[in-house]
Amino acid sequence: MQKSNVKSDYDHYLRLAHAGHYPLFFNDWLHSSMQQKSNLSHQRASHNVKHVFNQLARHKTLEKKKTALIGMDRISREEFIRSFFKIIEHEILKGNKSLQ
């Protein structure tokens, strides 16, 4: 998939997450991922998320993207989810100066 499509897909899912919708993830994935207490830097989180989105880019539908995430090993998937939330947190804080 072209780089611009990966970027638009990435931006689309970030906007959805910013509004509280997480269509890529099952609820049990979210709960188990958030129980991990490892700290991630923004740089590492950004790298993780972009890497996974590049892999997901070859899949056209949401269901196929979810299936690809199901195929990931649990640890990688949980790290991706934590990284995704780190990026969302960064974007929210960047956009709302009163929270900083």
Side-chain angles (χ1 to χ4, degrees):
M1 182 176 265
Q2 295 175 337
K3 195 168 189 91
S4 63
N5 288 343
V6 172
K7 175 75 171 132
S8 68
D9 218 22
Y10 175 78
D11 290 340
H12 170 74
Y13 285 108
L14 284 179
R15 280 193 307 275
L16 285 173
H18 192 274
H21 301 287
Y22 309 103
L24 284 175
F25 312 127
F26 294 108
N27 284 333
D28 56 330
W29 289 356
L30 295 174
H31 294 294
S32 66
S33 296
M34 294 304 139
Q35 291 178 4
Q36 301 293 326
K37 299 298 181 197
S38 64
N39 289 330
L40 287 168
S41 69
H42 175 70
Q43 182 179 10
R44 180 170 176 185
S46 180
H47 178 272
N48 289 343
V49 170
K50 288 178 183 176
H51 174 73
V52 172
F53 268 92
N54 282 329
Q55 292 177 334
L56 295 178
R58 63 183 166 191
H59 304 291
K60 303 288 185 218
T61 67
L62 175 62
E63 291 308 313
K64 288 185 179 182
K65 291 177 189 296
K66 274 185 167 179
T67 301
L69 289 172
I70 290 169
M72 293 175 72
D73 67 277
R74 183 186 57 80
I75 293 169
S76 297
R77 184 175 53 242
E78 288 179 356
E79 185 173 350
F80 166 63
I81 292 170
R82 285 192 313 277
S83 296
F84 187 77
F85 275 89
K86 180 76 170 184
I87 298 300
I88 294 165
E89 176 186 40
H90 177 78
E91 293 296 316
I92 289 171
L93 291 174
K94 185 171 77 172
N96 191 346
K97 300 294 184 191
S98 65
L99 291 176
Q100 296 180 358

